[in-house]
Amino acid sequence: MATKKIVIDPITRIEGHLRIEATIDTDTKEVTDAFSSSTMFRGLESIMKGRDPRDCGLIAMRICGVCTFTHYQRSIEAVENAFGITIPTNARLVRNITQAALFMHDHLVHYYHLHSLDWVDVVSAMSADATDALAEVDKYAKMSGKSAYNTTVEPFNNTLLKLKKLRDSGRLGLFANGYWGNSSYKLTPEQNLVAMTHYFQALELQRDLGKMIAIFGGKDPHPQSMVVGGVTSIMDIKNSNKREDFKALANKVKSFIKGAYILDMYMLADAYSEEMKNGIGAGLKNLLVYGGFPLEDGDIYQAEKLFPGGIVYNGNLNQIVDFDPDLVTEDVTHSWYNTPQDPHPFNSTTEPNYTGFKEKINNIAYLDTDNKYSWIKSPLYNDTRVEVGPLARFMVGYARGDSRLKGYIDSFVTNSTMDSIDNFYSSVGRTVARALESELMADIVNDWVDELSLNVNSGNFSSWTKFDFNAKSQSANGYGLEEAPRGSLGHWIKIENGKVVNYQAVVPSTWNAAPRDSKGRKGAYEKSLEGVTLSSIDEPLEILRTVHSFDPCIACAVHLIDTNGNDIKK
């Protein structure tokens, strides 16, 4: 078998640096092997040491510039877990509301502005007819049973004008350097025009979603209204105008999600139905969910949740296993770190051990894949490689028999061109699951706002639980385990004498983008690329499509520099 190794570095349209090296069978153009590497070092765990644990949330949110609030919340919850603090109802609701807005913001930005161009041919859209594009919208609105966001040809004509101005200028701007015309693109010109119209409309909605986060979070990104014990936005909670403003913005976003985003998923599943049915990009099929969005007060790890926790092995939805936080470990066999004595996050370490790349071949430096080749560790659950994210949440919820989550899945399978729930085990299915999750958030978030209003109108203004830090801070361990937009996110903290002595964060892209482990088993990205076939070896669009379906975010890996921009350590 003749093979060729290709390198994609960096993977664009993500946050952070990610490199994929893939081996291609030159006869079949099929990916026979792949390696995923983050080429940036993350050092925030070390920065936490010696800090007051109550300050960690404000630092932890800087792990990422996208999902700042979710890291903020996980860090706060880790300290609350360590000290046995239960937050008031209003604080739980505000956290759920703000997190739901973040989910919708993150998912819309990911699909339209980071991932959609893997499926949508911008140049093809320029040859479309606007009237025929509107007919496509009507077709998928009827199929899905939704009301279309666009009901006139005007938005489609506006998009045609924008795209043709770019073309006539001789430059495509941000759409330059795409693989336009690649035979892997399946949408018709009119369908491409529909998707590009929604692309531009989603750009405007980003502002509204940012406002929603800021209403109870103070600002976005990096909101600052959360503290150990609850939230500080009591005046915003009391203000009925703020609550109504949030609901109005949420309803606007909801109209777009149902009438554009979901319709685009029906269109995508129709055009790429063979990829779904053939399981292209399916990957591990071992799915992990910590559980997320508590629906009742008390211990958040005992409460009923919007996303039930659990593990599905080998895609078997007839068997579900409970999640046990004691079974999470980190392997660094192929990661640029020294091996810790205890691989559980409570006692794990972040000690760099950079061994570099192989010598250059034809002026290309390749990863030393027999040894260490990534700054990302390899998390294991019960000695198993797993995938996390929206697909995992829906499949675990389905296996749990959760009626709410089953409803979204069953409706899509029934109304679309899918022939089985197993079609979700694919790059297309992973992308559809993220949209369905956005619809779920749009449907539920204002219920939480109404619940908040009932509390306030009854005179319940409590937003913070008082605690005696000095009495409880001598020695304590805690974790914050929840669902972030990209998947299961955990922060672990050890406190002695009121100071942090160890801190570890295992983020969703650590689970998914990790290298091989000590037994040579692949991470989720690496496994999902097996069997992906390229239309052109020189245009690895299908590799980008599959990797992007996970919504990669490698920004949790950072360099340490001084204020003059010089390296402190290599």
Side-chain angles (χ1 to χ4, degrees):
M1 178 179 68
T3 62
K4 179 179 180 179
K5 179 173 283 189
I6 64 172
V7 177
I8 309 175
D9 184 12
I11 297 286
T12 56
R13 285 185 270 128
I14 69 170
E15 181 146 346
H17 287 190
L18 176 66
R19 174 190 182 102
I20 296 292
E21 290 188 8
T23 302
I24 314 296
D25 181 330
T26 55
D27 295 325
T28 63
K29 300 179 185 177
E30 183 177 309
V31 177
T32 60
D33 205 359
F35 295 88
S36 170
S37 171
S38 169
T39 54
M40 295 177 68
F41 167 62
R42 184 184 76 195
L44 264 98
E45 289 97 342
S46 300
I47 294 174
M48 298 292 190
K49 291 182 179 180
R51 303 272 183 172
D52 187 314
R54 294 169 294 181
D55 293 339
C56 285
L58 295 172
I59 301 169
M61 73 164 73
R62 268 72 185 180
I63 285 175
C64 180
V66 177
C67 44
T68 59
F69 184 82
T70 194
H71 283 289
Y72 186 20
Q73 188 171 340
R74 297 301 78 72
S75 184
I76 294 291
E77 288 172 348
V79 179
E80 290 168 346
N81 177 252
F83 296 151
I85 299 168
T86 301
I87 64 173
T89 302
N90 290 334
R92 173 180 62 82
L93 291 170
V94 166
R95 292 183 184 185
N96 279 359
I97 290 165
T98 310
Q99 184 86 321
L102 170 66
F103 266 61
M104 290 185 285
H105 183 279
D106 194 278
H107 289 346
L108 280 174
V109 170
H110 168 254
Y111 176 66
Y112 284 105
H113 309 126
L114 304 179
H115 187 31
S116 68
L117 301 187
D118 298 329
W119 312 99
V120 177
D121 188 332
V122 177
V123 173
S124 168
M126 298 181 196
S127 63
D129 180 87
T131 301
D132 291 341
L134 183 60
E136 288 294 315
V137 170
D138 184 59
K139 169 186 172 182
Y140 291 106
K142 290 177 179 176
M143 181 184 290
S144 65
K146 312 291 182 185
S147 297
Y149 188 72
N150 298 303
T151 57
T152 68
V153 298
E154 184 180 3
F156 305 108
N157 278 323
N158 290 340
T159 299
L160 277 173
L161 183 62
K162 289 178 183 177
L163 294 177
K164 288 178 179 179
K165 280 184 176 180
L166 284 173
R167 181 195 62 192
D168 295 343
S169 72
R171 297 175 296 177
L172 285 177
L174 76 163
F175 303 123
N177 300 321
Y179 297 137
W180 316 128
N182 187 290
S183 61
S184 181
Y185 284 118
K186 303 297 183 185
L187 298 179
T188 66
E190 285 69 32
Q191 291 171 337
N192 284 316
L193 179 59
V194 170
M196 288 308 301
T197 299
H198 294 157
Y199 177 104
F200 288 117
Q201 291 171 331
L203 278 173
E204 297 181 9
L205 283 175
Q206 283 192 47
R207 178 172 59 249
D208 293 325
L209 285 156
K211 289 178 182 177
M212 290 165 63
I213 295 171
I215 284 175
F216 295 114
K219 65 188 186 74
D220 178 64
H222 303 299
Q224 295 182 331
S225 65
M226 190 162 34
V227 292
V228 176
V231 295
T232 61
S233 50
I234 182 61
M235 298 308 294
D236 298 313
I237 293 171
K238 288 182 176 181
N239 190 329
S240 61
N241 290 331
K242 291 291 185 73
R243 300 194 301 272
E244 290 306 313
D245 286 347
F246 185 98
K247 290 181 67 174
L249 291 168
N251 286 331
K252 181 180 178 182
V253 172
K254 182 178 180 178
S255 295
F256 180 84
I257 289 174
K258 287 182 174 291
Y261 192 6
I262 296 299
L263 266 58
D264 284 351
M265 293 301 103
Y266 276 87
M267 186 169 70
L268 196 71
D270 189 8
Y272 292 90
S273 60
E274 290 304 309
E275 282 85 344
M276 296 188 82
K277 293 170 184 177
N278 292 330
I280 302 300
L284 296 167
K285 293 189 180 179
N286 298 323
L287 306 172
L288 168 69
V289 178
Y290 291 159
F293 290 90
L295 301 177
E296 55 191 15
D297 296 328
D299 185 342
I300 60 174
Y301 300 113
Q302 301 299 319
E304 179 188 355
K305 295 193 174 184
L306 179 66
F307 296 118
I311 299 89
V312 165
Y313 291 103
N314 299 316
N316 182 5
L317 300 183
N318 295 317
Q319 185 176 1
I320 185 76
V321 178
D322 290 341
F323 168 69
D324 181 351
D326 290 338
L327 298 181
V328 176
T329 56
E330 292 184 290
D331 183 296
V332 297
T333 303
H334 289 283
S335 308
W336 286 310
Y337 298 98
N338 289 320
T339 304
Q341 290 183 338
D342 183 349
H344 188 275
F346 267 139
N347 301 308
S348 187
T349 57
T350 307
E351 298 177 7
N353 178 17
Y354 182 68
T355 55
F357 284 49
K358 287 183 177 179
E359 292 183 4
K360 290 185 178 181
I361 303 174
N362 296 326
N363 207 35
I364 298 176
Y366 290 98
L367 297 169
D368 186 7
T369 53
D370 290 335
N371 298 296
K372 296 178 179 291
Y373 63 89
S374 179
W375 281 115
I376 291 179
K377 299 178 181 180
S378 297
L380 298 166
Y381 181 79
N382 195 21
D383 194 34
T384 303
R385 305 309 301 268
V386 300
E387 174 184 334
V388 299
L391 175 61
R393 287 190 281 263
F394 270 103
M395 294 298 100
V396 167
Y398 204 96
R400 286 284 186 199
D402 184 278
S403 58
R404 192 196 317 258
L405 298 183
K406 278 176 62 68
Y408 289 93
I409 290 285
D410 288 340
S411 176
F412 197 91
V413 172
T414 300
N415 295 329
S416 72
T417 54
M418 294 175 65
D419 58 12
S420 165
I421 190 175
D422 289 338
N423 292 175
F424 274 98
Y425 295 117
S426 62
S427 298
V428 186
R430 198 174 287 115
T431 301
V432 172
R434 185 168 284 105
L436 295 180
E437 188 167 86
S438 300
E439 185 179 19
L440 164 64
M441 291 300 170
D443 285 338
I444 198 171
V445 67
N446 277 347
D447 292 344
W448 288 329
V449 178
D450 289 341
E451 190 177 347
L452 183 66
S453 294
L454 284 173
N455 278 352
V456 172
N457 293 337
S458 68
N460 179 2
F461 303 133
S462 176
S463 65
W464 182 70
T465 298
K466 185 176 181 179
F467 61 96
D468 188 346
F469 177 72
N470 291 327
K472 296 182 178 180
S473 63
Q474 298 308 304
S475 180
N477 295 345
Y479 50 74
L481 305 176
E482 246 275 6
E483 294 301 309
R486 289 166 182 82
S488 300
L489 170 64
H491 285 225
W492 283 263
I493 190 170
K494 293 188 73 172
I495 304 164
E496 292 180 6
N497 298 320
K499 301 294 182 183
V500 177
V501 295
N502 197 29
Y503 198 103
Q504 292 293 315
V506 182
V507 306
S509 288
T510 313
W511 285 106
N512 290 336
R516 285 158 170 75
D517 61 22
S518 62
K519 298 180 180 179
R521 296 172 297 186
K522 297 177 180 180
Y525 290 5
E526 296 178 338
K527 185 68 174 176
S528 69
L529 290 171
E530 286 184 357
V532 169
T533 301
L534 306 183
S535 297
S536 170
I537 294 178
D538 295 328
E539 296 184 349
L541 174 63
E542 295 85 353
I543 291 177
L544 294 174
R545 180 180 289 165
T546 295
V547 172
H548 280 151
S549 72
F550 289 90
D551 190 4
C553 187
I554 319 297
C556 42
V558 299
H559 291 299
L560 299 180
I561 59 172
D562 66 18
T563 54
N564 295 317
N566 299 313
D567 288 345
I568 292 176
K569 183 175 181 179
K570 290 189 178 180

